[in-house]
Amino acid sequence: ITTLPLLMQHWFVLLKYYNTWTYAIPQLLLEGWFEWGILSSLEDIHNIHWIGGVMMGAMLFAHWLYLIAGGLSMVATGGNDGQDDPLQANYAMNRMRRSYGPGTEG
């Protein structure tokens, strides 16, 4: 049953282009559910076969890295929905417009 919250996390990915917090809250709730399931069944899965325990540990580590990166990104941008938010789809385009706007040489 630990795969259900993992799949559900992918349902909410497009929300990050609408609003950062609308994306972050469901992701955090689903991440908690996923990690709870992993940690509660890690020993049983590892006893079935050691590869299962290694794979679950690797998934947990990857999710911790993703969670840390997302948290640092929100702290760095202040969690705003402005043009300077790297979570926005048009962030790179807005930076290029400011860099090579009218009156600048490019």
Side-chain angles (χ1 to χ4, degrees):
I1 306 289
T2 58
T3 56
L4 182 62
L6 184 62
L7 292 172
M8 290 174 66
Q9 281 183 331
H10 291 89
W11 296 348
F12 295 100
V13 169
L14 293 177
L15 285 177
K16 72 180 175 182
Y17 300 113
Y18 174 71
N19 184 301
T20 305
W21 289 105
T22 306
Y23 166 69
I25 291 169
Q27 289 295 333
L28 288 174
L29 292 172
L30 290 169
E31 183 66 25
W33 182 14
F34 173 70
E35 289 186 19
W36 183 272
I38 288 284
L39 293 173
S40 65
S41 63
L42 183 59
E43 184 178 0
D44 295 332
I45 297 297
H46 184 75
N47 286 336
I48 293 171
H49 198 278
W50 66 272
I51 290 289
V54 171
M55 289 175 55
M56 291 178 84
M59 284 294 292
L60 191 60
F61 181 68
H63 275 245
W64 284 345
L65 291 178
Y66 181 77
L67 191 62
I68 290 169
L72 289 175
S73 175
M74 288 187 73
V75 167
T77 61
N80 65 357
D81 291 330
Q83 292 181 347
D84 294 327
D85 189 353
L87 294 176
Q88 296 297 325
N90 59 355
Y91 173 73
M93 188 61 76
N94 288 330
R95 287 195 56 157
M96 288 190 326
R97 285 186 189 128
R98 286 195 301 267
S99 298
Y100 300 109
T104 60
E105 295 182 20

